[in-house]
Amino acid sequence: MNRLARHGLAAAMVLAWPMACGGSGLAPLSGPVAEGNAVAEMSKRLCRQWRECDCGEAAGVQLSNCETGMRFAFQAWQEDAQELGLAFDGECLTRKLNAMLERGCTPLDPFDVGFRCSQDACAVYSGSATEGESCDGSFGSSNCTPGLACQGTCEDQCGGRGGVLGEGDRCLDDMGALGTCRPPLLCDPQSMLC
């Protein structure tokens, strides 16, 4: 398992929002989150929203010790990103945290192209790996250049190869996969369609 993915489950909840809960009553952030405040801000906001939405246990962290557990997980994730020399984007983190507030307690479909290509689908930590290069990390934090997501290799999530595809979409060509078929769809190698 790569270094960023080791601590990525808890961080992914904030950075990729696969199971967002919200409605915390917190005010939206007005400027970029400083890297030194990122762990505390993510922990506080995510845990408050989990409590208010009654989201229960996540990543092995119970609500009674949510902030302590999340701080530990986010700190380890942040340290890995820093050791890899990745660049921090405080504006991206602000967009993600504010988007969580706006969504309230509505769960999200992480395979929805609109979600994956929204303004808050940025990487809080990013590097210099270009499209098609192998990568370390996940959707919300990797050594890929900004605008690309790590799926084993750096991929464009919003166009070209690497996007999430619907039923009937072309998923293969002579060069390989064009994207990922939205589960439970599979890519048919004969028709090359989802």
Side-chain angles (χ1 to χ4, degrees):
M1 180 177 285
N2 66 49
R3 292 179 70 185
L4 289 174
R6 266 195 327 232
H7 308 292
L9 179 57
M13 289 178 204
V14 169
L15 302 175
W17 311 112
M19 50 178 287
C21 290
S24 69
L26 290 170
L29 296 164
S30 60
V33 175
E35 187 173 17
N37 296 333
V39 169
E41 201 65 51
M42 288 188 297
S43 300
K44 173 180 73 177
R45 288 175 177 269
L46 181 63
C47 291
R48 181 176 281 184
Q49 288 184 304
W50 274 348
R51 281 185 195 95
E52 292 187 13
C53 292
D54 195 25
C55 293
E57 182 178 317
V61 177
Q62 296 184 10
L63 289 176
S64 61
N65 62 353
C66 181
E67 282 194 47
T68 301
M70 286 298 117
R71 278 179 186 256
F72 178 76
F74 292 149
Q75 183 66 42
W77 161 78
Q78 186 179 56
E79 288 171 0
D80 281 349
Q82 290 169 340
E83 285 177 23
L84 291 169
L86 303 182
F88 176 76
D89 183 347
E91 286 287 345
C92 172
L93 183 54
T94 294
R95 288 194 306 271
K96 288 179 176 300
L97 293 172
N98 286 342
M100 182 175 67
L101 287 176
E102 292 171 15
R103 282 192 285 272
C105 295
T106 305
L108 289 178
D109 176 1
F111 293 99
D112 177 37
V113 174
F115 159 69
R116 291 203 117 170
C117 300
S118 66
Q119 184 180 16
D120 61 302
C122 52
V124 173
Y125 281 99
S126 60
S128 59
T130 60
E131 190 167 1
E133 289 185 321
S134 65
C135 55
D136 187 10
S138 63
F139 183 69
S141 180
S142 73
N143 66 327
C144 296
T145 57
L148 299 178
C150 183
Q151 296 183 326
T153 60
C154 296
E155 302 290 339
D156 178 358
Q157 295 295 299
C158 304
R161 296 182 188 280
V164 180
L165 307 171
E167 187 170 1
D169 289 346
R170 188 172 176 88
C171 54
L172 287 174
D173 66 11
D174 294 337
M175 300 294 291
L178 294 171
T180 304
C181 296
R182 177 192 309 264
L185 300 174
L186 298 173
C187 187
D188 181 344
Q190 302 300 331
S191 67
M192 298 189 192
L193 302 175
C194 289

